[in-house]
């Protein structure tokens, strides 16, 4: 008899070492399909062989438990390389803001956090932080910090928690990856293989190494959890209540990352697809309704979401599916009551209803779009459906993470696992269930979006890992069984009834010509029978496959280990080579920020390109003019105008807004992604607000030679003054500090206007002396974005 099935994470305890479902008769299968439509928890293939079968099953169970623990440990260990190499530091740019926000939440509490208006960023306007961020990661870290202190671990700092949260959430991610894979495949072996792959796959490592305190580090766990609970709620007629857990997991996803719209639309798309293909059921109706009500209620609690579930083109589809779900349920009720004895009348009613809904729905959408009731699709989302750099918004186009993904990136972040994706897709085409239909949609959408934006390669990591688990787990399972036992299936003697059914099937084709499909099936069966009859050939194939996949897995592990080292570089600290070839740490960026922190007044304002705002705020603790939130296009355009203008014109702006100007000059150290490389983007953004700027005049003709217009700019002047003999000394700016490797330069603004400072500090708006410059600006109008599409 099969072992007792256990719920949740313990499903693998009850799975057999082949991971196949209990075989049922045709009537049993049809009944299960009608009531469930999804994979059941795997159980043992009962074989009355006594204690040896039970012992083998327990051994397989124990092995899977050990592997699961090892994979969870490895998921954490591989992400701690950054800590071992660089110490407990926050990486990159955005994580520094997240760290600063977490510190504020821990110190002041949630109510003050929600009401926090930060005047140390986006000077002089400030920024309403509590209503413009996704607070899930900060809330999670704050809870962990307070819990640890309540338990007596008072030495733990906020920095420690923020550094280790990404690595800790990797365990949650691989756990839900196992559960999701198990629900899709029904195979514990394929699922445990998917867990091992997800634990170390570089596509997930890229956003989850220790110190990479970014939203995605916890969001992937929320994505996989939401998807698991959704398909789990559709397993059978009594599992619909799990839709509540789906809604709660989705709520956490909303708190964690702006890509919650993808999760919302994935669930809605799957529910709609099931209705279209005729798999509507009571459990689908109840599960989706619970998900939508609980999830939407949860999402509305976060100020950054507002009423978007009801008035945003990006989220309105979920509401439409919810309404459709109620209509379809009502139609089924009417069919069984009012139209129980009149099929023709019911069909006429359905045709009229569908036509009416289409007309009314179209009119409502057109009316809402015309009146501006529905919010338009944002440029970031539009960038998923048009070529990169052609979204119409130069600020969005300037972000490197929004570039389309090159083919070689897939090999870099997935290794051979990327080639398993098509086979995983094919696997789900057979014995289709609600869970497999969902996974087919997940594969298709994650592959598409990963191609459109390199940042979204992360979305493909769970689905690719499960596809890899299907291939790796299936091949290793079959190969080992053939090698160890000489057969991949138990030999079952053909009964008289079975022989009679086969004879009846053959008699159907007597005197009839077979279709191509039937001929192909017969040919496949013939080849399969011949292969199964040749034990030596099967053994040779099994050995070869085992050797090939062991080698592939060994290479995958080595590649992932290598990538973990590369992805662990915090970017705020770099590795380099000294003159003798010895490895050294290049710490110019922090050196510049520490200088600002230690050598400038606390109320100093630093003008820089928006990329560096978070680090200046977080490390130097100084006021900045812009950062990675990029909420104010016009303000960034003003900064861009300042940097690309000639020195005297630039000073007329800078003296009213800043005390220091910071520029990245990394090309002096051989790295050419500095501010001169970003200058064309600065000019394009500035020109979108200031029509008197021609962005085509700003470019680098080669690594060291700027265009004639760029050569006159403040940016080029500050880049080369005192280092390049061709560049004169500035008149209105004074060099304050240049880092050891000349990678960052800081200049003091001369003749700063104290009147403008006082006015801006009191009114939190631009001082009157900037009015002549601001009058040249025209607010960036999205209706003009078509102009940029042609460029």
């Amino acid at each position: 008899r099969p072992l007792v099935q256990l719920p949740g994470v313990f499903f693998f305890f009850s799975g057999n070492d082949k991971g196949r479902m209990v075989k049922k008769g045709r009537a049993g299968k049809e009944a299960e399909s009608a009531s469930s439509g999804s994979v059941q928890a795997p159980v043992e293939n009962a074989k009355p062989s006594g204690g040896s079968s039970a012992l083998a099953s327990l051994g397989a169970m124990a092995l899977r438990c050990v592997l699961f623990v090892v994979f969870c440990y490895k998921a954490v260990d591989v992400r701690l390389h950054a800590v071992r190499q660089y110490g407990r530091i926050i990486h990159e740019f955005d994580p520094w803001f997240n760290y600063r926000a977490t510190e504020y939440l821990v110190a002041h509490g949630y109510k003050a956090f929600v009401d926090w208006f930060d005047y140390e960023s986006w000077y002089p306007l400030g920024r309403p932080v509590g209503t413009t961020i996704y607070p899930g990661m900060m809330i999670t870290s704050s809870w962990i910090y307070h819990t640890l202190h309540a338990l007596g671990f008072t030495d733990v700092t906020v920095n420690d928690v923020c550094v280790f949260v990404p690595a800790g959430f990797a365990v949650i991610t691989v756990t839900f990856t196992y559960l999701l894979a198990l629900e899709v495949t029904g195979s514990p072996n394929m699922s445990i293989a998917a867990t091992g792959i997800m634990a170390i796959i570089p596509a997930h490592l890229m956003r989850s190494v220790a110190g990479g305190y970014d939203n995605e580090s916890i969001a992937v766990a929320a994505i996989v959890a939401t998807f698991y609970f959704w398909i789990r709620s559709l397993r059978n007629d009594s599992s619909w209540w799990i839709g509540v857990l789906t809604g709660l997991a989705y709520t956490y996803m909303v708190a964690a990352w702006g890509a919650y719209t993808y999760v919302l639309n994935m669930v809605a798309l799957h529910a709609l697809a099931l209705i279209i293909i005729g798999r509507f059921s009571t459990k689908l109706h109840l599960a989706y309704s619970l998900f939508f009500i609980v999830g939407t209620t949860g999402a509305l609690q976060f100020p950054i979401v507002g009423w978007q579930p009801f008035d945003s083109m990006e989220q309105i589809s979920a509401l439409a599916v919810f309404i459709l779900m109620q209509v379809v349920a009502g139609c089924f009720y009417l069919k069984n009551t009012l139209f129980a004895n009149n099929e023709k009348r019911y069909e006429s009613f359905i045709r009229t209803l569908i036509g009416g809904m289409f007309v009314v729905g179209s009119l409502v959408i057109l009316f809402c779009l015309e009146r501006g009731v529905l919010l338009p699709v944002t440029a970031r989302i539009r960038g998923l459906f048009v070529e990169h750099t052609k979204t119409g918004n130069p600020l969005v186009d300037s972000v490197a993470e929004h570039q389309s993904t090159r083919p070689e990136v897939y090999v870099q972040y997935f290794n051979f696992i990327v080639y398993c994706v098509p086979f995983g897709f094919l696997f789900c085409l057979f014995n289709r269930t609600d869970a497999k239909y969902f996974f087919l949609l997940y594969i298709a959408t994650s592959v598409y979006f990963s191609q459109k934006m390199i940042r979204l390669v992360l979305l493909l990591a769970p689905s690719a890992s499960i596809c890899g688990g299907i291939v790796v787990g299936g091949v290793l399972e079959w190969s080992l069984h053939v090698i160890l036992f000489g057969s991949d299936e138990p030999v079952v003697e053909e009964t008289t009834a079975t022989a009679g059914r086969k004879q009846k099937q053959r008699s159907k084709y007597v005197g009839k010509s077979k279709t191509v499909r039937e001929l192909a099936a017969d040919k496949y069966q013939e080849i399969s029978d011949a292969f199964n009859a040749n034990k030596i050939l099967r053994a040779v194939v099994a050995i070869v496959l085992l050797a090939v996949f062991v080698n592939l897995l060994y290479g995958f592990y080595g590649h992932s280990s290598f990538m973990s080292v590369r992805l662990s570089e915090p970017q705020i600290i770099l590795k380099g080579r000294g003159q003798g070839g010895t490895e050294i740490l290049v710490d110019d960026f922090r050196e510049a920020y520490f200088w600002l922190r230690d050598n400038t007044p606390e109320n100093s304002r630093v003008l820089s390109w928006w990329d560096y705002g978070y680090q200046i705020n977080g490390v130097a603790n100084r006021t900045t003019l812009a950062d990675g939130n990029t909420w104010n296009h016009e303000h960034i355009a003003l900064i861009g105008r300042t940097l690309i203008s000639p020195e005297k014109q630039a000073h007329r702006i800078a003296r009213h807004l800043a005390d220091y100007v910071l520029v990245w000059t990394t090309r002096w150290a051989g790295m050419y992604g500095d501010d001169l490389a970003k200058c064309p983007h600065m000019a394009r953004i500035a020109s979108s607000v200031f029509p008197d700027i021609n962005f085509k005049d700003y470019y680098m003709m080669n690594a060291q030679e700027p265009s004639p217009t760029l050569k006159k700019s403040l940016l080029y002047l500050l880049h080369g003054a005192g280092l390049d003999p061709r560049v004169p000394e500035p008149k209105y700016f004074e060099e304050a500090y240049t880092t050891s490797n000349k990678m960052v330069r800081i200049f003091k603004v001369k003749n700063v206007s104290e009147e403008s400072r006082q006015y801006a500090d009191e009114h939190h708006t631009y001082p009157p002396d900037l009015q002549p410059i601001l009058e040249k600006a025209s607010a960036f109008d999205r209706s003009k974005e078509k102009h940029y599409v042609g460029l």
Side-chain angles (χ1 to χ4, degrees):
R1 297 182 58 181
L3 298 176
V4 176
Q5 298 182 51
L6 300 177
V9 72
F10 300 105
F11 280 158
F12 60 88
F13 288 151
S14 62
N16 66 338
D17 54 334
K18 292 181 69 62
R20 295 189 173 92
M21 304 298 297
V22 174
K23 296 183 179 179
K24 301 182 179 181
R26 182 174 180 179
K29 288 183 179 179
E30 291 175 351
E32 180 186 57
S33 176
S35 65
S36 170
S38 184
V39 173
Q40 301 296 310
V43 296
E44 296 292 342
N45 280 334
K47 185 177 179 181
S49 57
S52 60
S53 177
L55 186 62
S57 180
L58 289 173
M61 181 198 313
L63 178 60
R64 283 192 293 271
C65 291
V66 171
L67 288 175
F68 184 81
V69 172
V70 169
F71 293 153
C72 288
Y73 166 78
K74 194 60 185 176
V76 175
D77 180 70
V78 75
R79 288 164 171 80
L80 295 183
H81 175 80
V83 176
R84 291 190 289 265
Q85 184 69 34
Y86 301 99
R88 300 178 182 182
I89 62 172
I90 304 297
H91 296 191
E92 301 184 28
F93 299 100
D94 291 9
W96 278 101
F97 167 76
N98 296 330
Y99 166 68
R100 180 167 172 257
T102 304
E103 277 194 320
Y104 190 93
L105 175 60
V106 169
H108 299 88
Y110 184 72
K111 187 179 185 304
F113 178 77
V114 172
D115 297 333
W116 181 24
F117 201 99
D118 182 19
Y119 290 113
E120 294 182 9
S121 63
W122 291 91
Y123 182 86
L125 308 175
R127 172 192 172 187
V129 177
T131 58
T132 59
I133 65 170
Y134 297 97
M137 186 166 57
M138 298 80 178
I139 295 173
T140 301
S141 299
S142 175
W143 179 84
I144 293 173
Y145 173 83
H146 288 302
T147 301
L148 290 174
H149 275 241
L151 294 174
F153 298 96
T154 55
D155 292 337
V156 175
T157 65
V158 174
N159 182 81
D160 294 337
V161 174
C162 295
V163 166
F164 288 107
V165 156
F169 262 77
V171 176
I172 301 175
T173 303
V174 299
T175 300
F176 277 106
T177 299
Y178 175 86
L179 295 173
L180 180 62
L182 187 63
E183 202 67 29
V184 171
T185 66
S187 167
N189 292 332
M190 291 180 179
S191 303
I192 205 69
T195 303
I197 293 169
M198 188 65 184
I200 62 173
I201 194 167
H204 186 217
L205 285 173
M206 66 186 290
R207 291 288 181 174
S208 61
V209 296
Y213 188 59
D214 215 342
N215 292 336
E216 295 92 326
S217 62
I218 67 169
V220 178
I223 291 173
V224 183
T226 305
F227 288 169
Y228 164 69
F229 285 127
W230 168 242
I231 62 174
R232 178 61 183 84
S233 68
L234 301 179
R235 179 190 287 181
N236 53 50
D237 287 342
S238 61
S239 59
W240 53 267
W241 62 271
I242 299 177
V244 174
L245 300 181
T246 311
L248 293 175
Y250 168 72
T251 299
Y252 187 76
M253 176 64 202
V254 174
W257 189 25
Y260 72 90
T261 54
Y262 170 73
V263 177
L264 176 67
N265 285 291
M266 265 298 302
V267 176
L269 177 62
H270 180 234
L272 177 63
L274 293 180
I275 294 175
I276 292 174
I277 64 177
R279 296 179 71 94
F280 177 83
S281 61
T282 301
K283 70 175 186 291
L284 174 64
H285 173 221
L286 294 175
Y288 185 83
S289 298
L290 286 173
F291 155 73
F292 182 80
I293 293 171
V294 174
T296 303
T297 302
L300 292 174
Q301 308 310 308
F302 302 105
I304 192 172
V305 176
W307 291 98
Q308 290 184 61
F310 304 106
D311 63 12
S312 170
M313 286 292 293
E314 297 168 11
Q315 303 180 41
I316 201 69
S317 60
L319 174 62
V321 172
F322 175 74
I323 296 173
L324 177 63
M325 195 74 70
Q326 314 314 313
V327 172
V328 173
C331 289
F332 272 92
Y333 174 78
L334 293 176
K335 180 181 179 181
N336 296 323
T337 54
L338 186 62
F339 300 104
N341 300 317
N342 197 331
E343 188 71 23
K344 290 185 178 180
R345 187 181 172 191
Y346 175 73
E347 292 177 357
S348 176
F349 169 76
I350 290 298
R351 285 194 294 269
T352 304
L353 179 64
I354 292 175
M357 287 182 62
F358 178 79
V359 172
V360 173
S362 300
L363 291 175
V364 169
I365 292 176
L366 289 174
F367 176 81
C368 292
L369 288 174
E370 181 69 21
R371 295 298 181 91
V373 176
L374 285 177
L375 298 177
V377 176
T378 62
R380 284 182 173 85
I381 300 299
R382 188 165 54 252
L384 298 174
F385 302 96
V386 299
E387 184 180 349
H388 175 65
T389 74
K390 293 188 177 181
T391 67
N393 188 321
L395 178 55
V396 173
D397 295 340
S398 70
V399 181
E401 290 179 337
H402 296 164
Q403 295 178 7
S404 57
T405 307
R406 302 182 306 276
E408 58 268 23
V409 171
Y410 288 100
V411 178
Q412 180 182 14
Y413 285 109
F414 293 92
N415 198 252
F416 86 95
I417 300 299
V418 70
Y419 302 111
C420 297
V421 173
F423 295 99
F425 190 89
L426 290 174
F427 172 86
C428 291
L429 293 176
F430 297 92
N431 301 317
R432 293 183 295 276
T433 62
D434 288 353
K436 285 186 176 179
Y437 277 117
F438 177 85
F439 193 62
L440 287 170
L441 292 172
Y442 182 24
I443 295 173
T445 55
S446 60
V447 168
Y448 173 79
F449 290 127
S450 70
Q451 291 177 327
K452 301 301 293 185
M453 190 180 292
I454 193 170
R455 182 182 187 182
L456 297 183
V457 165
L458 182 71
L459 290 179
L460 183 58
S463 59
S465 296
I466 294 174
C467 290
I470 291 171
V471 174
V472 172
V475 169
L476 294 183
E477 175 185 327
W478 180 85
S479 300
L480 289 172
H481 205 284
V482 169
I483 293 171
L484 296 176
F485 303 107
S487 173
D488 63 321
E489 289 284 3
V491 178
V492 180
E493 294 184 2
E494 187 175 64
T495 64
T496 304
T498 303
R501 284 196 299 270
K502 289 185 176 180
Q503 180 61 34
K504 186 177 180 180
Q505 288 285 350
R506 287 193 291 267
S507 65
K508 289 192 336 183
Y509 300 113
V510 175
K512 297 182 180 179
S513 59
K514 296 183 179 181
T515 64
V516 174
R517 181 177 180 181
E518 292 163 349
L519 290 172
D522 289 346
K523 192 64 177 177
Y524 170 78
Q525 188 62 46
E526 179 183 341
I527 296 173
S528 178
D529 291 341
F531 178 75
N532 289 331
N534 193 329
K535 295 183 177 181
I536 297 178
L537 177 60
R538 289 196 5 252
V540 171
V541 172
I543 293 172
V544 170
L545 284 175
L546 183 62
V548 168
F549 272 82
V550 167
N551 184 62
L552 287 173
L553 289 172
Y554 180 77
F556 173 69
Y557 179 81
H559 177 75
S560 298
S561 299
F562 168 75
M563 287 296 296
S564 72
V565 175
R566 289 187 57 187
L567 295 170
S568 295
E569 295 179 0
Q571 294 190 21
I572 198 170
I573 300 177
L574 304 174
K575 280 187 177 181
R577 294 285 177 182
Q579 294 182 351
T582 57
E583 188 175 79
I584 60 173
L585 293 180
V586 180
D587 203 6
D588 279 42
F589 304 129
R590 291 201 306 170
E591 179 186 340
Y593 303 144
F594 289 155
W595 185 90
L596 282 171
R597 182 193 64 188
D598 299 334
N599 296 276
T600 62
E602 291 186 1
N603 65 342
S604 295
R605 305 157 298 172
V606 182
L607 186 152
S608 70
W609 191 231
W610 62 264
D611 289 14
Y612 323 125
Y614 285 150
Q615 289 185 347
I616 296 172
N617 269 144
V619 185
N621 196 26
R622 291 296 178 264
T623 299
T624 59
L625 272 65
D627 53 43
N629 184 252
T630 63
W631 68 275
N632 192 318
H633 185 106
E634 293 75 21
H635 190 65
I636 292 177
L638 180 63
I639 296 172
R641 181 186 183 95
T642 305
L643 293 173
I644 66 174
S645 295
E647 182 189 9
K648 187 173 183 179
Q649 297 177 21
H651 184 259
R652 291 172 182 170
I653 302 174
R655 68 184 294 264
H656 298 291
L657 295 175
D659 302 293
Y660 295 88
V661 178
L662 181 147
V663 293
W664 275 28
T665 56
T666 57
R667 67 185 57 215
W668 292 112
M671 291 174 282
Y672 291 88
D674 59 6
D675 283 349
L676 284 183
K678 298 173 185 177
C679 189
H681 290 299
M682 299 179 189
R684 186 182 291 267
I685 294 169
S687 69
S688 68
V689 174
F690 296 95
D692 59 316
I693 295 176
N694 185 356
F695 66 86
K696 295 181 180 180
D697 294 338
Y698 298 87
Y699 57 90
M700 294 294 294
M701 294 186 289
N702 55 53
Q704 299 295 340
E705 189 63 30
S707 65
T709 306
L710 177 56
K711 185 179 291 187
K712 301 175 184 177
S713 69
L714 172 67
L715 181 61
Y716 185 75
L717 176 68
L718 301 186
H719 178 276
L723 301 177
D724 186 340
R726 299 173 300 175
V727 179
E729 290 294 326
K731 298 179 181 179
Y732 301 96
F733 297 85
E734 177 185 356
E735 180 182 357
Y737 189 74
T738 299
T739 58
S740 303
N741 297 290
K742 306 175 185 177
M743 296 173 65
V744 183
R745 307 193 75 188
I746 301 171
F747 287 80
K748 183 176 175 59
V749 182
K750 295 181 179 180
N751 193 25
V752 172
S753 173
E754 292 300 329
E755 293 180 1
S756 293
R757 180 201 294 274
Q758 183 177 355
Y759 183 90
D761 290 345
E762 291 178 359
H763 299 88
H764 302 294
T765 187
Y766 298 112
D769 287 340
L770 281 180
Q771 195 59 34
I773 303 296
L774 298 177
E775 288 176 353
K776 298 179 181 180
S778 58
F780 180 65
D781 185 358
R782 285 186 167 79
S783 66
K784 299 178 181 179
E785 290 183 359
K786 293 181 180 179
H787 168 70
Y788 292 94
V789 174
L791 300 176

